[in-house]
Amino acid sequence: MLIAGTNGKGSTAATLASILQAAELRTGLYTSPHLVRINERIQLNGREIPDDEFALVHDLVDRTAERLIGEGELPWHPSFFEMLTAIAFEYFSRRKVDIAVLEVGMVGGLMLPTWLSLASV
């Protein structure tokens, strides 16, 4: 589920994720920005992605991006935000979430196909 708009995205996404989790759905939540730790942005059932898994998935996404650049599939390395989004998608895929709630900015809906292609490689 994409939560887009100008105001209230974070609280709406968190509330929706909480409702879905209470309904016993394995729920991923991706938000920004983080307040203290980057892990806050990527959660599964209300728990932040563990440091070791974040590092593992970051390494995979980074190596994939470098490979795609080398093969001419990507023109440049993804931005910080694009990397975090791909990390979240890969983490949610690995953890087999039932549903993911994604807080996105106004451009998020336009960029989603790019993120999906990077996360699915």
mmCIF file with all atom_site columns, all heavy atoms in Angstrom, residues 93-113:
data_model
loop_
_atom_site.group_PDB
_atom_site.id
_atom_site.type_symbol
_atom_site.label_atom_id
_atom_site.label_alt_id
_atom_site.label_comp_id
_atom_site.label_asym_id
_atom_site.label_entity_id
_atom_site.label_seq_id
_atom_site.pdbx_PDB_ins_code
_atom_site.Cartn_x
_atom_site.Cartn_y
_atom_site.Cartn_z
_atom_site.occupancy
_atom_site.B_iso_or_equiv
_atom_site.pdbx_formal_charge
_atom_site.auth_seq_id
_atom_site.auth_comp_id
_atom_site.auth_asym_id
_atom_site.auth_atom_id
_atom_site.pdbx_PDB_model_num
ATOM 1   N N   . SER A 1 93  ? 10.628 -8.920  0.872   1.00 0.00 ? 93  SER A N   1
ATOM 2   C CA  . SER A 1 93  ? 10.524 -10.125 0.045   1.00 0.00 ? 93  SER A CA  1
ATOM 3   C C   . SER A 1 93  ? 11.103 -11.330 0.781   1.00 0.00 ? 93  SER A C   1
ATOM 4   O O   . SER A 1 93  ? 10.491 -12.402 0.817   1.00 0.00 ? 93  SER A O   1
ATOM 5   C CB  . SER A 1 93  ? 11.256 -9.904  -1.276  1.00 0.00 ? 93  SER A CB  1
ATOM 6   O OG  . SER A 1 93  ? 11.266 -11.088 -2.035  1.00 0.00 ? 93  SER A OG  1
ATOM 7   N N   . ARG A 1 94  ? 12.268 -11.163 1.359   1.00 0.00 ? 94  ARG A N   1
ATOM 8   C CA  . ARG A 1 94  ? 12.910 -12.259 2.101   1.00 0.00 ? 94  ARG A CA  1
ATOM 9   C C   . ARG A 1 94  ? 12.067 -12.710 3.291   1.00 0.00 ? 94  ARG A C   1
ATOM 10  O O   . ARG A 1 94  ? 12.037 -13.891 3.622   1.00 0.00 ? 94  ARG A O   1
ATOM 11  C CB  . ARG A 1 94  ? 14.281 -11.825 2.621   1.00 0.00 ? 94  ARG A CB  1
ATOM 12  C CG  . ARG A 1 94  ? 15.322 -11.716 1.552   1.00 0.00 ? 94  ARG A CG  1
ATOM 13  C CD  . ARG A 1 94  ? 16.598 -11.104 2.104   1.00 0.00 ? 94  ARG A CD  1
ATOM 14  N NE  . ARG A 1 94  ? 17.610 -11.105 1.063   1.00 0.00 ? 94  ARG A NE  1
ATOM 15  C CZ  . ARG A 1 94  ? 18.815 -11.628 1.213   1.00 0.00 ? 94  ARG A CZ  1
ATOM 16  N NH1 . ARG A 1 94  ? 19.185 -12.160 2.353   1.00 0.00 ? 94  ARG A NH1 1
ATOM 17  N NH2 . ARG A 1 94  ? 19.667 -11.609 0.215   1.00 0.00 ? 94  ARG A NH2 1
ATOM 18  N N   . ARG A 1 95  ? 11.434 -11.767 3.936   1.00 0.00 ? 95  ARG A N   1
ATOM 19  C CA  . ARG A 1 95  ? 10.635 -12.061 5.131   1.00 0.00 ? 95  ARG A CA  1
ATOM 20  C C   . ARG A 1 95  ? 9.188  -12.423 4.798   1.00 0.00 ? 95  ARG A C   1
ATOM 21  O O   . ARG A 1 95  ? 8.379  -12.647 5.682   1.00 0.00 ? 95  ARG A O   1
ATOM 22  C CB  . ARG A 1 95  ? 10.663 -10.868 6.092   1.00 0.00 ? 95  ARG A CB  1
ATOM 23  C CG  . ARG A 1 95  ? 12.022 -10.655 6.703   1.00 0.00 ? 95  ARG A CG  1
ATOM 24  C CD  . ARG A 1 95  ? 12.363 -11.850 7.500   1.00 0.00 ? 95  ARG A CD  1
ATOM 25  N NE  . ARG A 1 95  ? 13.691 -11.747 8.073   1.00 0.00 ? 95  ARG A NE  1
ATOM 26  C CZ  . ARG A 1 95  ? 14.217 -12.706 8.787   1.00 0.00 ? 95  ARG A CZ  1
ATOM 27  N NH1 . ARG A 1 95  ? 13.545 -13.813 9.000   1.00 0.00 ? 95  ARG A NH1 1
ATOM 28  N NH2 . ARG A 1 95  ? 15.421 -12.581 9.264   1.00 0.00 ? 95  ARG A NH2 1
ATOM 29  N N   . LYS A 1 96  ? 8.883  -12.458 3.505   1.00 0.00 ? 96  LYS A N   1
ATOM 30  C CA  . LYS A 1 96  ? 7.574  -12.888 3.019   1.00 0.00 ? 96  LYS A CA  1
ATOM 31  C C   . LYS A 1 96  ? 6.415  -12.168 3.726   1.00 0.00 ? 96  LYS A C   1
ATOM 32  O O   . LYS A 1 96  ? 5.522  -12.798 4.303   1.00 0.00 ? 96  LYS A O   1
ATOM 33  C CB  . LYS A 1 96  ? 7.432  -14.399 3.147   1.00 0.00 ? 96  LYS A CB  1
ATOM 34  C CG  . LYS A 1 96  ? 8.465  -15.156 2.331   1.00 0.00 ? 96  LYS A CG  1
ATOM 35  C CD  . LYS A 1 96  ? 8.279  -16.634 2.416   1.00 0.00 ? 96  LYS A CD  1
ATOM 36  C CE  . LYS A 1 96  ? 9.254  -17.465 1.637   1.00 0.00 ? 96  LYS A CE  1
ATOM 37  N NZ  . LYS A 1 96  ? 10.285 -16.905 0.852   1.00 0.00 ? 96  LYS A NZ  1
ATOM 38  N N   . VAL A 1 97  ? 6.455  -10.846 3.649   1.00 0.00 ? 97  VAL A N   1
ATOM 39  C CA  . VAL A 1 97  ? 5.374  -10.076 4.262   1.00 0.00 ? 97  VAL A CA  1
ATOM 40  C C   . VAL A 1 97  ? 4.066  -10.339 3.520   1.00 0.00 ? 97  VAL A C   1
ATOM 41  O O   . VAL A 1 97  ? 4.062  -10.620 2.315   1.00 0.00 ? 97  VAL A O   1
ATOM 42  C CB  . VAL A 1 97  ? 5.676  -8.562  4.299   1.00 0.00 ? 97  VAL A CB  1
ATOM 43  C CG1 . VAL A 1 97  ? 6.906  -8.260  5.124   1.00 0.00 ? 97  VAL A CG1 1
ATOM 44  C CG2 . VAL A 1 97  ? 5.783  -7.966  2.918   1.00 0.00 ? 97  VAL A CG2 1
ATOM 45  N N   . ASP A 1 98  ? 2.980  -10.257 4.246   1.00 0.00 ? 98  ASP A N   1
ATOM 46  C CA  . ASP A 1 98  ? 1.659  -10.351 3.621   1.00 0.00 ? 98  ASP A CA  1
ATOM 47  C C   . ASP A 1 98  ? 1.322  -9.052  2.914   1.00 0.00 ? 98  ASP A C   1
ATOM 48  O O   . ASP A 1 98  ? 0.675  -9.048  1.866   1.00 0.00 ? 98  ASP A O   1
ATOM 49  C CB  . ASP A 1 98  ? 0.583  -10.653 4.669   1.00 0.00 ? 98  ASP A CB  1
ATOM 50  C CG  . ASP A 1 98  ? 0.752  -12.021 5.301   1.00 0.00 ? 98  ASP A CG  1
ATOM 51  O OD1 . ASP A 1 98  ? 1.010  -12.988 4.559   1.00 0.00 ? 98  ASP A OD1 1
ATOM 52  O OD2 . ASP A 1 98  ? 0.634  -12.113 6.544   1.00 0.00 ? 98  ASP A OD2 1
ATOM 53  N N   . ILE A 1 99  ? 1.769  -7.959  3.519   1.00 0.00 ? 99  ILE A N   1
ATOM 54  C CA  . ILE A 1 99  ? 1.489  -6.632  2.961   1.00 0.00 ? 99  ILE A CA  1
ATOM 55  C C   . ILE A 1 99  ? 2.564  -5.667  3.438   1.00 0.00 ? 99  ILE A C   1
ATOM 56  O O   . ILE A 1 99  ? 3.069  -5.788  4.556   1.00 0.00 ? 99  ILE A O   1
ATOM 57  C CB  . ILE A 1 99  ? 0.077  -6.139  3.363   1.00 0.00 ? 99  ILE A CB  1
ATOM 58  C CG1 . ILE A 1 99  ? -0.321 -4.910  2.573   1.00 0.00 ? 99  ILE A CG1 1
ATOM 59  C CG2 . ILE A 1 99  ? -0.030 -5.920  4.862   1.00 0.00 ? 99  ILE A CG2 1
ATOM 60  C CD1 . ILE A 1 99  ? -1.804 -4.657  2.554   1.00 0.00 ? 99  ILE A CD1 1
ATOM 61  N N   . ALA A 1 100 ? 2.917  -4.730  2.581   1.00 0.00 ? 100 ALA A N   1
ATOM 62  C CA  . ALA A 1 100 ? 3.882  -3.696  2.945   1.00 0.00 ? 100 ALA A CA  1
ATOM 63  C C   . ALA A 1 100 ? 3.201  -2.335  2.818   1.00 0.00 ? 100 ALA A C   1
ATOM 64  O O   . ALA A 1 100 ? 2.496  -2.075  1.837   1.00 0.00 ? 100 ALA A O   1
ATOM 65  C CB  . ALA A 1 100 ? 5.112  -3.750  2.047   1.00 0.00 ? 100 ALA A CB  1
ATOM 66  N N   . VAL A 1 101 ? 3.413  -1.508  3.806   1.00 0.00 ? 101 VAL A N   1
ATOM 67  C CA  . VAL A 1 101 ? 2.907  -0.137  3.799   1.00 0.00 ? 101 VAL A CA  1
ATOM 68  C C   . VAL A 1 101 ? 4.108  0.753   3.514   1.00 0.00 ? 101 VAL A C   1
ATOM 69  O O   . VAL A 1 101 ? 5.091  0.732   4.269   1.00 0.00 ? 101 VAL A O   1
ATOM 70  C CB  . VAL A 1 101 ? 2.253  0.222   5.148   1.00 0.00 ? 101 VAL A CB  1
ATOM 71  C CG1 . VAL A 1 101 ? 1.770  1.671   5.146   1.00 0.00 ? 101 VAL A CG1 1
ATOM 72  C CG2 . VAL A 1 101 ? 1.108  -0.739  5.459   1.00 0.00 ? 101 VAL A CG2 1
ATOM 73  N N   . LEU A 1 102 ? 4.034  1.514   2.440   1.00 0.00 ? 102 LEU A N   1
ATOM 74  C CA  . LEU A 1 102 ? 5.157  2.332   1.992   1.00 0.00 ? 102 LEU A CA  1
ATOM 75  C C   . LEU A 1 102 ? 4.775  3.798   2.015   1.00 0.00 ? 102 LEU A C   1
ATOM 76  O O   . LEU A 1 102 ? 3.870  4.219   1.297   1.00 0.00 ? 102 LEU A O   1
ATOM 77  C CB  . LEU A 1 102 ? 5.561  1.941   0.573   1.00 0.00 ? 102 LEU A CB  1
ATOM 78  C CG  . LEU A 1 102 ? 5.752  0.451   0.298   1.00 0.00 ? 102 LEU A CG  1
ATOM 79  C CD1 . LEU A 1 102 ? 5.898  0.210   -1.186  1.00 0.00 ? 102 LEU A CD1 1
ATOM 80  C CD2 . LEU A 1 102 ? 6.940  -0.071  1.055   1.00 0.00 ? 102 LEU A CD2 1
ATOM 81  N N   . GLU A 1 103 ? 5.479  4.553   2.838   1.00 0.00 ? 103 GLU A N   1
ATOM 82  C CA  . GLU A 1 103 ? 5.299  6.008   2.832   1.00 0.00 ? 103 GLU A CA  1
ATOM 83  C C   . GLU A 1 103 ? 6.173  6.561   1.718   1.00 0.00 ? 103 GLU A C   1
ATOM 84  O O   . GLU A 1 103 ? 7.381  6.319   1.695   1.00 0.00 ? 103 GLU A O   1
ATOM 85  C CB  . GLU A 1 103 ? 5.732  6.588   4.175   1.00 0.00 ? 103 GLU A CB  1
ATOM 86  C CG  . GLU A 1 103 ? 5.683  8.093   4.197   1.00 0.00 ? 103 GLU A CG  1
ATOM 87  C CD  . GLU A 1 103 ? 6.424  8.694   5.379   1.00 0.00 ? 103 GLU A CD  1
ATOM 88  O OE1 . GLU A 1 103 ? 6.799  7.974   6.315   1.00 0.00 ? 103 GLU A OE1 1
ATOM 89  O OE2 . GLU A 1 103 ? 6.643  9.920   5.328   1.00 0.00 ? 103 GLU A OE2 1
ATOM 90  N N   . VAL A 1 104 ? 5.571  7.270   0.786   1.00 0.00 ? 104 VAL A N   1
ATOM 91  C CA  . VAL A 1 104 ? 6.325  7.829   -0.334  1.00 0.00 ? 104 VAL A CA  1
ATOM 92  C C   . VAL A 1 104 ? 6.017  9.312   -0.461  1.00 0.00 ? 104 VAL A C   1
ATOM 93  O O   . VAL A 1 104 ? 4.944  9.768   -0.096  1.00 0.00 ? 104 VAL A O   1
ATOM 94  C CB  . VAL A 1 104 ? 6.010  7.115   -1.675  1.00 0.00 ? 104 VAL A CB  1
ATOM 95  C CG1 . VAL A 1 104 ? 6.387  5.650   -1.593  1.00 0.00 ? 104 VAL A CG1 1
ATOM 96  C CG2 . VAL A 1 104 ? 4.563  7.274   -2.074  1.00 0.00 ? 104 VAL A CG2 1
ATOM 97  N N   . GLY A 1 105 ? 6.985  10.042  -0.997  1.00 0.00 ? 105 GLY A N   1
ATOM 98  C CA  . GLY A 1 105 ? 6.773  11.453  -1.275  1.00 0.00 ? 105 GLY A CA  1
ATOM 99  C C   . GLY A 1 105 ? 5.923  11.613  -2.529  1.00 0.00 ? 105 GLY A C   1
ATOM 100 O O   . GLY A 1 105 ? 5.478  10.636  -3.141  1.00 0.00 ? 105 GLY A O   1
ATOM 101 N N   . MET A 1 106 ? 5.725  12.820  -2.935  1.00 0.00 ? 106 MET A N   1
ATOM 102 C CA  . MET A 1 106 ? 4.889  13.089  -4.105  1.00 0.00 ? 106 MET A CA  1
ATOM 103 C C   . MET A 1 106 ? 5.439  12.419  -5.360  1.00 0.00 ? 106 MET A C   1
ATOM 104 O O   . MET A 1 106 ? 4.692  12.007  -6.228  1.00 0.00 ? 106 MET A O   1
ATOM 105 C CB  . MET A 1 106 ? 4.749  14.596  -4.321  1.00 0.00 ? 106 MET A CB  1
ATOM 106 C CG  . MET A 1 106 ? 3.979  15.278  -3.209  1.00 0.00 ? 106 MET A CG  1
ATOM 107 S SD  . MET A 1 106 ? 2.313  14.638  -2.991  1.00 0.00 ? 106 MET A SD  1
ATOM 108 C CE  . MET A 1 106 ? 1.543  15.246  -4.470  1.00 0.00 ? 106 MET A CE  1
ATOM 109 N N   . VAL A 1 107 ? 6.749  12.296  -5.461  1.00 0.00 ? 107 VAL A N   1
ATOM 110 C CA  . VAL A 1 107 ? 7.366  11.696  -6.638  1.00 0.00 ? 107 VAL A CA  1
ATOM 111 C C   . VAL A 1 107 ? 7.402  10.173  -6.500  1.00 0.00 ? 107 VAL A C   1
ATOM 112 O O   . VAL A 1 107 ? 7.611  9.458   -7.464  1.00 0.00 ? 107 VAL A O   1
ATOM 113 C CB  . VAL A 1 107 ? 8.797  12.255  -6.842  1.00 0.00 ? 107 VAL A CB  1
ATOM 114 C CG1 . VAL A 1 107 ? 9.491  11.626  -8.021  1.00 0.00 ? 107 VAL A CG1 1
ATOM 115 C CG2 . VAL A 1 107 ? 8.727  13.769  -7.022  1.00 0.00 ? 107 VAL A CG2 1
ATOM 116 N N   . GLY A 1 108 ? 7.165  9.652   -5.309  1.00 0.00 ? 108 GLY A N   1
ATOM 117 C CA  . GLY A 1 108 ? 7.278  8.226   -5.045  1.00 0.00 ? 108 GLY A CA  1
ATOM 118 C C   . GLY A 1 108 ? 6.498  7.352   -5.999  1.00 0.00 ? 108 GLY A C   1
ATOM 119 O O   . GLY A 1 108 ? 6.987  6.323   -6.450  1.00 0.00 ? 108 GLY A O   1
ATOM 120 N N   . GLY A 1 109 ? 5.293  7.734   -6.319  1.00 0.00 ? 109 GLY A N   1
ATOM 121 C CA  . GLY A 1 109 ? 4.482  6.942   -7.233  1.00 0.00 ? 109 GLY A CA  1
ATOM 122 C C   . GLY A 1 109 ? 5.081  6.879   -8.627  1.00 0.00 ? 109 GLY A C   1
ATOM 123 O O   . GLY A 1 109 ? 4.957  5.873   -9.321  1.00 0.00 ? 109 GLY A O   1
ATOM 124 N N   . LEU A 1 110 ? 5.767  7.947   -9.035  1.00 0.00 ? 110 LEU A N   1
ATOM 125 C CA  . LEU A 1 110 ? 6.396  7.966   -10.354 1.00 0.00 ? 110 LEU A CA  1
ATOM 126 C C   . LEU A 1 110 ? 7.662  7.131   -10.387 1.00 0.00 ? 110 LEU A C   1
ATOM 127 O O   . LEU A 1 110 ? 8.014  6.547   -11.402 1.00 0.00 ? 110 LEU A O   1
ATOM 128 C CB  . LEU A 1 110 ? 6.733  9.412   -10.743 1.00 0.00 ? 110 LEU A CB  1
ATOM 129 C CG  . LEU A 1 110 ? 5.562  10.380  -10.833 1.00 0.00 ? 110 LEU A CG  1
ATOM 130 C CD1 . LEU A 1 110 ? 6.067  11.794  -11.097 1.00 0.00 ? 110 LEU A CD1 1
ATOM 131 C CD2 . LEU A 1 110 ? 4.585  9.952   -11.910 1.00 0.00 ? 110 LEU A CD2 1
ATOM 132 N N   . MET A 1 111 ? 8.373  7.053   -9.250  1.00 0.00 ? 111 MET A N   1
ATOM 133 C CA  . MET A 1 111 ? 9.642  6.347   -9.179  1.00 0.00 ? 111 MET A CA  1
ATOM 134 C C   . MET A 1 111 ? 9.485  4.863   -8.866  1.00 0.00 ? 111 MET A C   1
ATOM 135 O O   . MET A 1 111 ? 10.415 4.092   -9.035  1.00 0.00 ? 111 MET A O   1
ATOM 136 C CB  . MET A 1 111 ? 10.546 6.978   -8.116  1.00 0.00 ? 111 MET A CB  1
ATOM 137 C CG  . MET A 1 111 ? 10.983 8.392   -8.449  1.00 0.00 ? 111 MET A CG  1
ATOM 138 S SD  . MET A 1 111 ? 11.931 8.491   -9.971  1.00 0.00 ? 111 MET A SD  1
ATOM 139 C CE  . MET A 1 111 ? 13.376 7.577   -9.505  1.00 0.00 ? 111 MET A CE  1
ATOM 140 N N   . LEU A 1 112 ? 8.301  4.429   -8.438  1.00 0.00 ? 112 LEU A N   1
ATOM 141 C CA  . LEU A 1 112 ? 8.118  3.058   -7.994  1.00 0.00 ? 112 LEU A CA  1
ATOM 142 C C   . LEU A 1 112 ? 8.575  2.016   -9.009  1.00 0.00 ? 112 LEU A C   1
ATOM 143 O O   . LEU A 1 112 ? 9.245  1.060   -8.634  1.00 0.00 ? 112 LEU A O   1
ATOM 144 C CB  . LEU A 1 112 ? 6.654  2.826   -7.599  1.00 0.00 ? 112 LEU A CB  1
ATOM 145 C CG  . LEU A 1 112 ? 6.377  1.507   -6.902  1.00 0.00 ? 112 LEU A CG  1
ATOM 146 C CD1 . LEU A 1 112 ? 7.185  1.379   -5.634  1.00 0.00 ? 112 LEU A CD1 1
ATOM 147 C CD2 . LEU A 1 112 ? 4.895  1.385   -6.606  1.00 0.00 ? 112 LEU A CD2 1
ATOM 148 N N   . PRO A 1 113 ? 8.280  2.134   -10.306 1.00 0.00 ? 113 PRO A N   1
ATOM 149 C CA  . PRO A 1 113 ? 8.760  1.112   -11.239 1.00 0.00 ? 113 PRO A CA  1
ATOM 150 C C   . PRO A 1 113 ? 10.287 0.967   -11.252 1.00 0.00 ? 113 PRO A C   1
ATOM 151 O O   . PRO A 1 113 ? 10.799 -0.135  -11.368 1.00 0.00 ? 113 PRO A O   1
ATOM 152 C CB  . PRO A 1 113 ? 8.244  1.598   -12.596 1.00 0.00 ? 113 PRO A CB  1
ATOM 153 C CG  . PRO A 1 113 ? 7.049  2.437   -12.258 1.00 0.00 ? 113 PRO A CG  1
ATOM 154 C CD  . PRO A 1 113 ? 7.406  3.103   -10.943 1.00 0.00 ? 113 PRO A CD  1
#
